[in-house]
Amino acid sequence: MAITFLISVAILLGLALFLYQEVRRSPGPRLWGRTPRWKKRVRVTLATIPLLVACFFFWAFLVEPNRLVVRQETITIDKWPRELSDLKIAVISDIHVGGWFIDDKKLRLIVERTNQLQPEMIVILGDYMSGESSTSHRVEPEVFGTVLKELRAPLGVYSVLGNHDWWWDGRRVRRGLEANGIKVLDDEIMEVKGRGRSVWLAGFADLWTRPQYIDETIAKVPQDEPVIALTHNPDIFPRVPQRVSLLLAGHTHGGQVRFPIIGTAIEPSKVSQQYVRGHVFENNHHLFVTTGIGTSIVPIRFGVPPEIVLLTLRSQ
């Protein structure tokens, strides 16, 4: 990685020097009393284009995927219990351990930054695994689980699994996480008690690899109790009952590449482009989609930095 970085810097410097020389270069001898500046403008333009392209690839492959930002969001929920107002939840997703820049050092940084936020609850929304490729390697859950074990939240750490986890071995990923104190919910519910009040978590199975029993799962929650649901893929949102105040999801990576004005280079949601990232209010309940941390297929991020989200839930 260090050699790739140095070579890339050398290429950028070379292109910048070439552009500088073209800017300084004389436009040529005067012809018929006028200086032919159009030729110089063409040369400068042709020198600028490869520099801009090189800057894009340098940032998108070698800088932005290695960033880690903290994004703070507040969602006001109608009929949310006042005892649970300002509940702080750290949201992490799509770590893809062993992927581009996601090594042991980065994983420990994720844990450290999350703990510094002092959340009351932590949720991880799946896709821990990476495949074997030229830019990634598989790290077993028994290994990364011992690092994630250091996550700290008084109300606990909870998770669902994603398509990459099930494409490998979802049962083994679950065992590796739960052996290290992270509770996995797969069409299951959990009562979480805090501040003298209960909030219920419902975790749904992955949309691409497993059958979902959404209504059956929510039916297990006592009536009139507050419910937060966890899923990997946000495309299930239209099927989630309105009694679920908030659905938290990942999976999309925010499209990984997002240009100003144009938007995302791909459409990561098959249901709605609104589900690509951030907060959505629809059918009287809320969806929040984090853009996650790792990369998939192509190890690139542009305009969508890796993020940890600190979500504050506020009563109306």
Side-chain angles (χ1 to χ4, degrees), residues 1 31 63 70 74 76 120 141 161 177 196 203 242 251 279 293 307:
M1 188 69 72
L31 298 175
V63 177
V70 172
T74 298
T76 301
E120 294 169 81
L161 301 185
L177 293 172
Q242 289 186 18
H251 179 67
H279 178 215
I293 291 174
E307 67 177 18

Side-chain angles (χ1 to χ4, degrees), residues 100-241:
W100 196 244
F101 288 114
I102 312 296
D103 55 10
D104 181 76
K105 181 179 178 182
K106 183 63 168 287
L107 195 59
R108 294 183 186 279
L109 178 63
I110 293 167
V111 171
E112 179 185 344
R113 291 269 179 92
T114 304
N115 288 341
Q116 286 173 352
L117 298 173
Q118 298 183 324
E120 294 169 81
M121 183 190 302
I122 299 172
V123 298
I124 311 175
L125 303 175
D127 271 6
Y128 296 87
M129 302 303 297
S130 292
E132 296 288 349
S133 72
S134 59
T135 59
S136 67
H137 65 279
R138 184 173 293 119
V139 178
E140 296 179 344
E142 295 83 1
V143 176
F144 64 72
T146 60
V147 179
L148 296 177
K149 183 179 182 178
E150 299 305 315
L151 288 167
R152 296 286 181 263
L155 300 185
V157 183
Y158 306 92
S159 181
V160 290
L161 301 185
N163 50 294
H164 284 267
D165 305 319
W166 284 106
W167 284 340
W168 184 64
D169 186 342
R171 290 178 178 83
R172 185 171 169 185
V173 175
R174 177 170 187 161
R175 289 196 301 270
L177 293 172
E178 293 192 332
N180 288 284
I182 299 172
K183 176 62 180 174
V184 176
L185 301 174
D186 191 67
D187 287 330
E188 298 165 289
I189 63 170
M190 170 71 68
E191 182 183 13
V192 180
K193 295 182 179 180
R195 301 186 180 185
R197 187 71 159 83
S198 291
V199 58
W200 291 79
L201 295 183
F204 300 132
D206 174 58
L207 176 63
W208 283 9
T209 59
R210 308 271 286 168
Q212 292 84 50
Y213 300 99
I214 296 172
D215 291 333
E216 295 89 336
T217 301
I218 296 302
K220 299 173 187 176
V221 179
Q223 285 293 328
D224 301 322
E225 287 293 297
V227 186
I228 299 171
L230 314 179
T231 187
H232 179 62
N233 193 319
D235 283 355
I236 71 167
F237 186 48
R239 297 164 51 196
V240 175

Side-chain angles (χ1 to χ4, degrees), residues 24-48:
R24 298 272 300 184
R25 186 176 171 182
S26 170
R30 294 173 65 88
L31 298 175
W32 297 291
R34 299 179 63 186
T35 302
R37 297 187 180 278
W38 68 270
K39 290 185 178 180
K40 178 175 180 178
R41 289 174 184 148
V42 170
R43 292 198 305 267
V44 170
T45 300
L46 292 177
T48 301

Side-chain angles (χ1 to χ4, degrees), residues 10-24 47 51:
I11 292 172
L12 284 176
L13 290 175
L15 291 170
L17 179 60
F18 178 64
L19 175 61
Y20 175 76
Q21 290 174 337
E22 289 299 324
V23 171
R24 298 272 300 184
L51 178 60

Side-chain angles (χ1 to χ4, degrees), residues 1-15 54-55 57-58 62:
M1 188 69 72
I3 294 175
T4 303
F5 186 86
L6 291 174
I7 292 173
S8 300
V9 170
I11 292 172
L12 284 176
L13 290 175
L15 291 170
C55 286
F57 280 99
F58 178 77
L62 296 176

